[in-house]
Amino acid sequence: MSASRTSLSLLRTLVPYKTQTRAVTYMPRPGDGSPRPVTLIPGDGIGPLVTNAVEQVMEAMHAPVYFEKYQVHGDMKQIPQEVIDSIRKNKVCLKGGLRTPKGGGVSSLNLHLRRELDLYASLVDCCNLPGLPTRHENVDIVVIRENTEGEYSGLEHEVVPGVVESLKVITKFCSERIAKYAFEYAYLNNRKKVTAVHKANIMKLADGLFLESCREVAARYPTIKYDEIIVDNCCMQLVSKPEQFDVMITPNLYGNLVANTAAGIAGGTGVMPGGNVGAEHAVFEQGASAGNVGKKKMVEQKTANPLALLLSSAMMLRHLQFPAFANRLEEAVKNVILEGKYRTKDLGGDSTTQQVVDAVIAKIE
């Protein structure tokens, strides 16, 4: 063997090859790289601020999406038909918060959108983020909420003056399909446990039907642990030992309460992504509803936290089958949080929305 070949062999022994850190490549189908249209609803309050943040970051990344923007506000009587038609065509929507008037008989446009597009599953991803201190560690909860019935059915009437009756509707069909979605999510994401949240000790027929549906679906997934918890005990357990929960499946009202509680425990509503999905369409927005419209002062000072919607946008990119762009965006957001230099007031800092956006863009590789 020549001296040069001997030296090369020795060099290979002493200096190992660089270990690959990337995953096995994603192989797209022909045409998957074509830019995709996404319906954009800036919404009310901080909505225009945080949706504009997403637009800036997507442009900086050269992400293969473009937005069809529509102005929708919570005080409208209904969502314009052209907006519904756009979402039906594009299949995907990104939206800011829509303010829902309290009382007065004005229906929520958020509910209208979910029913019109049959967005029956709400998903909120609540987990600890490195660099963001919280009271509890190892929090990694996904709350999956039935989105179309329950107390949100909107069936209310005044029986006699001073007496109002509000109906809670639970159906076998809706309970079964949300249970299927929750277990399918757990199966596809290697989650180990699904917990059904209920009040069947009091609402024996309504929540009893919900539990019956969950149990039937759970029997088809023997590798995933299934348990049940009463909603009041659930709230107490969430604030004392949240690490015990994995995937949580809930009826409509309980899910809203549980998701916002879990988001607060894991780091705040400003960093928790989420979305609403049905068989044909998906709408991505800030995961927890609390604070998604914000306060007037926050809008005036332009200090809204854009990170939750940016992470929701990463979920959207994965939904559109652009995993590399989703990973880049998610890593950039997490690196900004870890570094801790630019944070809005809700995370203990004094940065503006634009400063956080610029920091995220600077971290994109």
Side-chain angles (χ1 to χ4, degrees), residues 61 126 170 278 354:
M61 292 175 65
C126 305
I170 298 287
Q354 191 59 50

Side-chain angles (χ1 to χ4, degrees), residues 138-150:
N138 303 315
V139 178
D140 187 2
I141 302 170
V142 174
V143 181
I144 295 176
R145 161 193 176 195
E146 203 292 317
N147 229 3
T148 60
E149 56 177 20

Side-chain angles (χ1 to χ4, degrees), residues 143-146 151-152 168 170 196-203 206-207 210 229-232 234-235 238 248-261:
V143 181
I144 295 176
R145 161 193 176 195
E146 203 292 317
E151 294 86 351
Y152 285 56
K168 171 177 177 174
I170 298 287
V197 182
H198 67 94
K199 192 65 176 175
N201 57 324
I202 302 299
M203 285 168 274
D207 284 21
F210 177 78
I229 188 168
I230 296 173
V231 63
D232 40 352
C234 171
C235 293
L238 267 175
M248 305 178 77
I249 174 176
T250 76
N252 208 335
L253 177 61
Y254 309 155
N256 194 14
L257 305 177
V258 168
N260 280 279
T261 302

Side-chain angles (χ1 to χ4, degrees), residues 2-320:
S2 67
S4 61
R5 292 182 67 184
T6 303
S7 299
L8 179 60
S9 178
L10 180 61
L11 180 64
R12 285 174 174 170
T13 302
L14 296 175
V15 183
Y17 291 117
K18 183 180 179 181
T19 303
Q20 283 190 324
T21 56
R22 68 169 178 83
V24 174
T25 190
Y26 164 68
M27 186 173 74
R29 295 165 297 192
D32 272 0
S34 302
R36 295 283 299 276
V38 173
T39 305
L40 178 64
I41 301 174
D44 297 315
I46 66 171
L49 268 176
V50 294
T51 54
N52 178 256
V54 173
E55 290 182 276
Q56 291 183 61
V57 172
M58 291 293 178
E59 184 177 355
M61 292 175 65
H62 303 289
V65 298
Y66 61 93
F67 294 106
E68 296 178 359
K69 189 182 297 187
Y70 293 90
Q71 296 301 324
V72 180
H73 301 286
D75 57 0
M76 291 180 172
K77 291 186 177 180
Q78 61 183 16
I79 295 176
Q81 188 58 45
E82 62 177 349
V83 180
I84 298 295
D85 292 342
S86 174
I87 301 174
R88 289 192 190 281
K89 173 178 65 75
N90 297 334
K91 308 294 185 184
V92 175
C93 173
L94 182 73
K95 67 179 282 290
L98 291 175
R99 183 176 283 108
T100 300
K102 298 177 179 66
V106 180
S107 62
S108 166
L109 293 190
N110 294 303
L111 295 184
H112 175 69
L113 190 64
R114 294 168 196 164
R115 289 183 189 140
E116 185 71 26
L117 300 172
D118 197 24
L119 304 171
Y120 67 85
S122 165
L123 187 149
V124 182
D125 191 356
C126 305
C127 64
N128 290 132
L129 295 167
L132 191 61
T134 58
R135 185 180 298 273
H136 297 280
E137 297 180 354
N138 303 315
V139 178
D140 187 2
I141 302 170
V142 174
V143 181
I144 295 176
R145 161 193 176 195
E146 203 292 317
N147 229 3
T148 60
E149 56 177 20
E151 294 86 351
Y152 285 56
S153 300
L155 300 175
E156 295 184 312
H157 65 278
E158 189 174 42
V159 182
V160 295
V163 179
V164 173
E165 187 174 58
S166 181
L167 303 181
K168 171 177 177 174
V169 177
I170 298 287
T171 65
K172 177 76 171 178
F173 174 78
C174 290
S175 298
E176 191 171 80
R177 70 175 180 174
I178 194 66
K180 287 178 181 177
Y181 183 82
F183 277 92
E184 188 175 73
Y185 174 89
Y187 172 69
L188 293 175
N189 288 276
N190 195 31
R191 312 290 293 217
K192 306 303 181 185
K193 184 173 73 168
V194 173
T195 301
V197 182
H198 67 94
K199 192 65 176 175
N201 57 324
I202 302 299
M203 285 168 274
K204 300 181 185 298
L205 292 179
D207 284 21
L209 179 59
F210 177 78
L211 284 185
E212 177 186 312
S213 302
C214 291
R215 291 166 185 167
E216 290 175 0
V217 174
R220 304 172 203 166
Y221 291 85
T223 60
I224 298 174
K225 183 181 178 182
Y226 169 71
D227 62 7
E228 300 166 357
I229 188 168
I230 296 173
V231 63
D232 40 352
N233 184 32
C234 171
C235 293
M236 189 273 289
Q237 294 291 335
L238 267 175
V239 298
S240 57
K241 291 181 61 180
E243 64 276 3
Q244 68 183 288
F245 296 108
D246 191 349
V247 176
M248 305 178 77
I249 174 176
T250 76
N252 208 335
L253 177 61
Y254 309 155
N256 194 14
L257 305 177
V258 168
N260 280 279
T261 302
I265 290 167
T269 60
V271 290
M272 300 301 152
N276 304 281
V277 67
E280 298 291 334
H281 312 94
V283 174
F284 295 88
E285 58 188 332
Q286 179 173 311
S289 60
N292 66 352
V293 174
K295 298 178 180 179
K296 185 177 180 180
K297 186 176 180 181
M298 188 184 299
V299 177
E300 292 172 348
Q301 296 178 346
K302 298 183 178 180
T303 55
N305 189 344
L307 297 182
L309 198 65
L310 286 171
L311 290 172
S312 296
S313 301
M315 290 174 59
M316 180 188 75
L317 289 169
R318 285 201 184 90
H319 181 80
L320 291 170

